[in-house]
Amino acid sequence: MTMERTVRVELGPQSYDVHIAPGALAELGATVAALGSATGAVVITDSNVGPLYGARAVESLRAASLAASVIEFPAGEVNKTLATVDSLLDDLLAVAPPIDRNTVIVALGGGVVGDVAGLVAAIALRGLRVVQCPTSLLACVDSSVGGKTGVDHATGKNLIGAFHQPGAVVVDVETLTTLPREELCNGLAESVKHGAIRDAALLDFIEAHVADILDCDAESMCELIGRNVAIKAAVVADDEKETGNRAHLNFGHTIGHAIEVCVGYDAIRHGEAVSLGMIAANRLAVSRGLMASADANRIERVLVSLSLPVRRGGLDADEIWAICQHDKKARGGKVRMVLVGALETVAIHDDITAADVAMALGALGEE
Amino acid sequence: MTMERTVRVELGPQSYDVHIAPGALAELGATVAALGSATGAVVITDSNVGPLYGARAVESLRAASLAASVIEFPAGEVNKTLATVDSLLDDLLAVAPPIDRNTVIVALGGGVVGDVAGLVAAIALRGLRVVQCPTSLLACVDSSVGGKTGVDHATGKNLIGAFHQPGAVVVDVETLTTLPREELCNGLAESVKHGAIRDAALLDFIEAHVADILDCDAESMCELIGRNVAIKAAVVADDEKETGNRAHLNFGHTIGHAIEVCVGYDAIRHGEAVSLGMIAANRLAVSRGLMASADANRIERVLVSLSLPVRRGGLDADEIWAICQHDKKARGGKVRMVLVGALETVAIHDDITAADVAMALGALGEE
């Protein structure tokens, strides 16, 4: 059995492939060349990932006879801003040879790089093609697929951005081996989420391979990422612009996002917040008679086995509720939450009250 | 005969109507409401147009039970920058009641407002719907239709932007009556261009109604704008993202754009540069045996009758050539020019040499 996988994201003329393999970065140049008419590529990366994998990306591009340059910006969510985009555009418009509409942007890095470089690609010369090369597990299983790009604003996360589908996604699972353990776990929360909303067999797989996954075993990672990408691809193909069922991917994110705002983005990882958000949402789903306690308990056990948090004291229900009301996904002031019933059965609920949120949060405070 | 016209831009699910009528701003609220699910609108305008028509737009929106606010930025091409977009996003994210994904942006003003507000709409909350309300003739016949948005960069015009189709376009020809004569003529160059590349009957109409057009007679303006929008709509419907024949709209723009860069954007209007660019392109077309001298002479007569320039001394052919090579539309260093053969017959030529450009420029220096 080969470890390599290719998952197709079906979006009509904007369809693209996600290549997953150990060492896949060596194929980056061929992938960019296969898009057609590209004469050069510009790699956008950050100060963490650039020194590790920038040269490997450039080498592969040049081996495919493509002009290649690298632009780096300082790593960190704090730099996911329009000011960084502005500065990257300055750099991009100054590279030699100069870019043209056939230039391809390569987004090499974690979620921040993918979001920022994706937005740069979306608005440079009114849209350049982008190849996403995610190097964090979170980016591999989630943000690199689906075309969402964006930066944060003083008033909220991801408030500025665009839908800009990549021309291809290249996942080199070897790049994950340099991730700190907490970063790996950070990505696994979205993986559990995918299992809960669309694929109970993925939960089976995670339960059976916890140790291999946490060891970043190449074969397990290819399988894990392949399954996750297939789920994300199906959801995105069904609803590219999030006017309907793509919102199912927000399972765990309404309260999770509010927790991030409440405790501060630098005090909790996204996956950790989503883990807590799923626990809270499941409490509400169980209380509404939608979800069996056994399923809620199972999801909790999986999260615990992946070192993800399932309890968090000291959260103020009124504050969380107030933040939920200002969520980007709120419509006309109504708070919307995604609740899972039986596994793989999901619905968006827009009748969420302050009391519901307080009750859901109760799940996070228990011993 | 009613003066009112509606032209449909056919783009599948992104299709939209262009409403043209005297007093059409009074229908803005109904137009926004007809898009569906809008609870509010934010009017983005500039310091010239806001004081003249901002209140009228807001009144119409509120009459349709929509929350309405106005955001103004300082008028002028010099403010067509990412910094202005950044500042408008700050304002937009601070309006009360807060915006959500159903909020509609109204771009009220000339080409700069349409481009800037269109880009703000394209990237706020990953894309809000926009209604374009052009108030300059150039914006009415050209930039408000087709979905191009963008801002300038230190290294060139419109280098940053997005394709973001409006949900509707509302053209109130009464707003054109406050334009200075030179601004009206500025828009007429694109109109002559449309006639040359797609509709010789439009040239007949302009020739027969020069005085009415320059007087901004409502009936003539509705007819003129309706014909132009129909041409633009057909071109855009055929090739939304400018991968093919949409480039025909660049007739007069390769050398025209180079002239703007050469003499400075503040020293020449866009329409004036395009007028000169068409004269130069026609010289090359005639020399290549593509265009009859009689047609070239006719286009020149029409431009002169509209007070548009057809001669310009002191241009340096080497400098113009160098600028052409750095055009955003150049591919792999090749200079591309649109040449008209018989009227309505157009082709893109990518074999343009420095000598061709020098010869074409010769047409601008003759007595």
Side-chain angles (χ1 to χ4, degrees):
Chain A
M1 178 188 128
T2 170
M3 293 188 221
E4 191 172 341
R5 276 158 185 73
T6 298
V7 180
R8 181 87 174 158
V9 185
E10 292 289 353
L11 286 167
Q14 293 189 286
S15 298
Y16 53 95
D17 285 333
V18 182
H19 307 286
I20 305 157
L25 261 187
E27 302 304 318
L28 174 63
T31 305
V32 171
L35 297 179
S37 68
T39 51
V42 178
V43 178
I44 298 183
T45 187
D46 69 17
S47 52
N48 285 342
V49 178
L52 290 172
Y53 304 113
R56 207 179 291 183
V58 165
E59 186 186 355
S60 172
L61 290 163
R62 291 191 179 146
S65 304
L66 294 160
S69 348
V70 178
I71 300 175
E72 238 181 66
F73 66 94
E77 178 88 25
V78 70
N79 296 309
K80 193 176 149 180
T81 61
L82 202 54
T84 298
V85 169
D86 196 359
S87 155
L88 287 170
L89 285 165
D90 287 345
D91 295 344
L92 182 62
L93 290 164
V95 300
I99 64 165
D100 61 31
R101 288 182 176 177
N102 289 327
T103 300
V104 174
I105 301 295
V106 173
L108 177 69
V112 171
V113 170
D115 283 359
V116 168
L119 181 54
V120 168
I123 64 175
L125 309 189
R126 290 205 189 91
L128 299 177
R129 292 171 296 179
V130 62
V131 170
Q132 292 281 353
C133 296
T135 62
S136 75
L137 184 59
L138 184 55
C140 289
V141 301
D142 187 14
S143 58
S144 68
V145 174
K148 280 193 183 178
T149 73
V151 294
D152 301 333
H153 184 262
T155 60
K157 297 235 310 170
N158 295 317
L159 294 183
I160 300 167
F163 286 91
H164 189 61
Q165 297 294 339
V169 182
V170 175
V171 178
D172 184 343
V173 298
E174 282 174 10
T175 64
L176 303 176
T177 59
T178 48
L179 286 179
R181 165 71 70 101
E182 311 82 73
E183 260 310 302
L184 201 66
C185 298
N186 186 32
L188 290 166
E190 300 286 353
S191 191
V192 173
K193 179 196 78 178
H194 285 147
I197 65 168
R198 285 288 191 279
D199 183 7
L202 172 56
L203 291 181
D204 299 340
F205 175 82
I206 294 172
E207 286 169 333
H209 296 83
V210 168
D212 288 340
I213 290 169
L214 294 178
D215 278 352
C216 216
D217 164 69
E219 189 167 329
S220 299
M221 293 317 269
C222 285
E223 176 70 13
L224 180 78
I225 294 168
R227 281 169 173 265
N228 277 281
V229 168
I231 294 166
K232 180 86 188 261
V235 172
V236 169
D238 182 46
D239 175 23
E240 183 190 355
K241 297 286 177 69
E242 195 167 341
T243 54
N245 289 344
R246 182 163 178 169
H248 291 176
L249 297 172
N250 295 324
F251 173 50
H253 281 62
T254 304
I255 288 179
H257 174 245
I259 292 173
E260 286 179 289
V261 173
C262 190
V263 309
Y265 287 104
D266 46 358
I268 189 167
R269 285 187 162 78
H270 181 67
E272 295 167 352
V274 169
S275 179
L276 295 168
M278 289 191 286
I279 296 291
N282 288 351
R283 166 62 54 96
L284 184 56
V286 170
S287 87
R288 289 193 175 193
L290 300 167
M291 177 180 251
S293 295
D295 286 332
N297 293 338
R298 179 183 177 196
I299 290 172
E300 183 166 326
R301 276 197 311 275
V302 175
L303 292 169
V304 168
S305 76
L306 299 172
S307 308
L308 284 160
V310 296
R311 296 290 180 274
R312 174 104 189 186
L315 294 170
D316 183 272
D318 292 338
E319 194 180 348
I320 296 286
W321 169 248
I323 297 166
C324 288
Q325 289 181 294
H326 286 90
D327 195 277
K328 180 167 41 123
K329 279 135 189 156
R331 299 282 166 101
K334 275 193 180 176
V335 173
R336 293 151 56 92
M337 260 177 83
V338 176
L339 299 181
V340 175
L343 293 178
E344 306 181 10
T345 310
V346 195
I348 302 161
H349 296 257
D350 63 0
D351 59 348
I352 305 299
T353 65
D356 288 334
V357 167
M359 188 257 285
L361 286 172
L364 305 182
E366 289 160 8
E367 289 308 309
Chain B
M1 179 188 127
T2 171
M3 293 186 219
E4 192 172 343
R5 276 162 184 70
T6 299
V7 179
R8 182 85 174 159
V9 184
E10 293 289 352
L11 285 167
Q14 293 189 287
S15 297
Y16 52 96
D17 285 332
V18 182
H19 308 285
I20 305 156
L25 261 187
E27 302 304 316
L28 173 63
T31 304
V32 170
L35 298 179
S37 68
T39 51
V42 178
V43 178
I44 298 182
T45 187
D46 69 18
S47 52
N48 284 343
V49 177
L52 290 173
Y53 303 113
R56 208 179 292 183
V58 166
E59 186 186 355
S60 172
L61 291 162
R62 292 191 178 148
S65 304
L66 294 160
S69 346
V70 178
I71 299 175
E72 239 180 65
F73 66 94
E77 179 87 26
V78 70
N79 296 309
K80 193 176 150 181
T81 61
L82 202 55
T84 297
V85 168
D86 197 356
S87 155
L88 287 170
L89 284 164
D90 287 344
D91 295 343
L92 183 63
L93 291 164
V95 299
I99 64 165
D100 62 29
R101 288 183 177 177
N102 289 328
T103 300
V104 174
I105 302 295
V106 173
L108 177 68
V112 170
V113 170
D115 283 359
V116 168
L119 181 54
V120 168
I123 65 175
L125 309 189
R126 291 206 189 92
L128 299 177
R129 292 170 296 178
V130 61
V131 171
Q132 292 281 352
C133 296
T135 63
S136 75
L137 184 61
L138 183 56
C140 288
V141 301
D142 186 15
S143 58
S144 67
V145 173
K148 280 194 185 177
T149 73
V151 294
D152 301 333
H153 184 264
T155 59
K157 297 237 307 171
N158 295 316
L159 293 183
I160 300 167
F163 285 91
H164 188 61
Q165 297 294 339
V169 182
V170 175
V171 178
D172 184 343
V173 298
E174 281 175 8
T175 63
L176 302 176
T177 58
T178 48
L179 286 178
R181 165 71 70 100
E182 310 84 70
E183 261 309 303
L184 201 67
C185 297
N186 186 31
L188 290 167
E190 299 287 352
S191 191
V192 172
K193 178 196 78 177
H194 285 148
I197 65 169
R198 283 291 189 278
D199 183 8
L202 172 56
L203 291 181
D204 299 339
F205 175 82
I206 294 172
E207 287 169 332
H209 295 84
V210 169
D212 288 340
I213 290 168
L214 294 178
D215 277 353
C216 215
D217 164 69
E219 190 168 329
S220 298
M221 292 319 268
C222 285
E223 176 71 13
L224 179 78
I225 294 168
R227 281 170 173 264
N228 277 279
V229 168
I231 292 166
K232 180 87 188 260
V235 172
V236 169
D238 182 46
D239 174 24
E240 184 191 354
K241 297 286 176 68
E242 196 167 343
T243 54
N245 289 342
R246 183 162 177 171
H248 291 175
L249 296 172
N250 294 324
F251 173 50
H253 281 62
T254 304
I255 287 178
H257 174 246
I259 291 173
E260 285 179 290
V261 172
C262 190
V263 308
Y265 287 105
D266 46 358
I268 190 167
R269 285 186 161 79
H270 180 65
E272 294 167 351
V274 169
S275 179
L276 295 169
M278 290 191 284
I279 296 291
N282 287 351
R283 166 62 54 95
L284 183 55
V286 169
S287 86
R288 288 191 174 194
L290 301 166
M291 178 180 249
S293 295
D295 286 331
N297 293 337
R298 181 184 175 195
I299 290 172
E300 181 166 326
R301 276 197 312 274
V302 174
L303 292 169
V304 169
S305 76
L306 299 172
S307 308
L308 284 160
V310 295
R311 296 288 180 276
R312 175 103 188 188
L315 295 170
D316 183 273
D318 292 336
E319 193 180 350
I320 295 286
W321 170 248
I323 297 166
C324 287
Q325 287 180 295
H326 287 90
D327 194 277
K328 179 167 43 126
K329 278 133 191 158
R331 300 281 165 102
K334 273 194 179 176
V335 173
R336 293 151 55 92
M337 261 176 83
V338 177
L339 299 181
V340 175
L343 292 178
E344 305 179 13
T345 309
V346 196
I348 302 162
H349 297 256
D350 63 1
D351 59 349
I352 305 298
T353 64
D356 288 333
V357 167
M359 186 258 285
L361 285 171
L364 304 181
E366 290 161 6
E367 289 306 310

